[in-house]
Amino acid sequence: MELHDLIKRAKKGDEHAFYELLQTHKQQLYRIAYSYLKSEADAIEAIQETTYRAFRSIRKLKKPDYFSTWLIRILINYCNDELKKRSRLVFSDQFVEIAGSRQDQHSIEMEEAVDQLEEHLRQVITLKYFHDLKIKEIAQIMNLPEGTIKTWLAKGLKILKQNLSEEGGAPGA
């Protein structure tokens, strides 16, 4: 069944059509939620809440072409709200030892560096480089011009490069 038909039926209250729509997006939603919340249980809860919010407001969706970005925007808004509620998680050296390999440590360092960015820079970096979304899609999700997204990407990458080169500087420095 074509996506537009499913969206039309879902907007009219067809639960089965809505379920099929979510099935096509659930892997992408899970990856995004997990990258924000860093927990399988929290990611699943985020998807459940996103499903509820999307079902409740799908009649307000104006253009079926933007269903995917609309759904992701709902998820990101939920994830940002949850992150604001939490106290900031600090990785201790003991946690890094438990995490294991050097590659894991680099992943944690990268995640920490991205988490230290201002919220709007963190969002565009995460969506672009962790979820392979195009600049146009990110602009639609964040409801901003593509030029703004490009500027934020460049600024975020510059800050990341500076922060990571300072951390990885000369030993004893």
Side-chain angles (χ1 to χ4, degrees), residues 65-66 69 73 135-144:
D65 290 339
Y66 296 139
T69 55
R73 186 180 310 143
I135 289 173
K136 183 177 182 178
E137 292 171 320
I138 297 169
Q140 289 172 347
I141 289 169
M142 297 183 78
N143 202 21
L144 293 167

Side-chain angles (χ1 to χ4, degrees), residues 16-172:
H16 182 70
F18 185 78
Y19 175 79
E20 285 186 45
L21 284 170
L22 282 183
Q23 289 300 310
T24 61
H25 291 83
K26 73 178 183 182
Q27 290 297 324
Q28 182 183 29
L29 293 174
Y30 177 79
R31 285 192 313 267
I32 292 171
Y34 190 85
S35 72
Y36 274 77
L37 303 173
K38 316 278 191 264
S39 159
E40 183 178 340
D42 292 341
I44 291 170
E45 187 174 322
I47 292 171
Q48 289 172 341
E49 182 63 26
T50 300
T51 301
Y52 168 72
R53 290 179 182 184
F55 185 73
R56 192 179 62 190
S57 61
I58 193 164
R59 290 188 177 117
K60 297 177 187 173
L61 178 66
K62 294 177 183 169
K63 295 182 179 180
D65 290 339
Y66 296 139
F67 176 79
S68 180
T69 55
W70 173 77
L71 193 60
I72 293 170
R73 186 180 310 143
I74 291 171
L75 177 70
I76 290 173
N77 288 340
Y78 173 80
C79 290
N80 284 331
D81 290 344
E82 284 300 306
L83 291 173
K84 287 177 187 172
K85 291 178 185 173
R86 294 180 183 177
S87 60
R88 186 163 178 83
L89 177 65
V90 178
F91 292 100
S92 67
D93 290 339
Q94 185 180 11
F95 178 81
V96 173
E97 280 181 31
I98 292 169
S101 74
R102 185 170 169 80
Q103 184 175 355
D104 288 341
Q105 187 173 351
H106 286 295
S107 295
I108 291 170
E109 288 172 1
M110 179 60 81
E111 287 181 23
E112 285 180 330
V114 171
D115 286 345
Q116 291 174 358
L117 293 172
E118 293 176 44
E119 184 177 327
H120 64 287
L121 301 176
R122 179 179 45 81
Q123 281 186 332
V124 295
I125 294 285
T126 301
L127 291 173
K128 174 71 178 161
Y129 296 106
F130 292 95
H131 300 292
D132 292 329
L133 293 181
K134 296 176 182 163
I135 289 173
K136 183 177 182 178
E137 292 171 320
I138 297 169
Q140 289 172 347
I141 289 169
M142 297 183 78
N143 202 21
L144 293 167
E146 290 181 34
T148 302
I149 301 302
K150 290 177 185 175
T151 301
W152 288 357
L153 276 174
K155 185 177 178 181
L157 289 174
K158 183 179 177 183
I159 293 170
L160 276 178
K161 188 176 177 181
Q162 284 175 332
N163 290 348
L164 291 173
S165 67
E166 287 172 7
E167 290 175 8

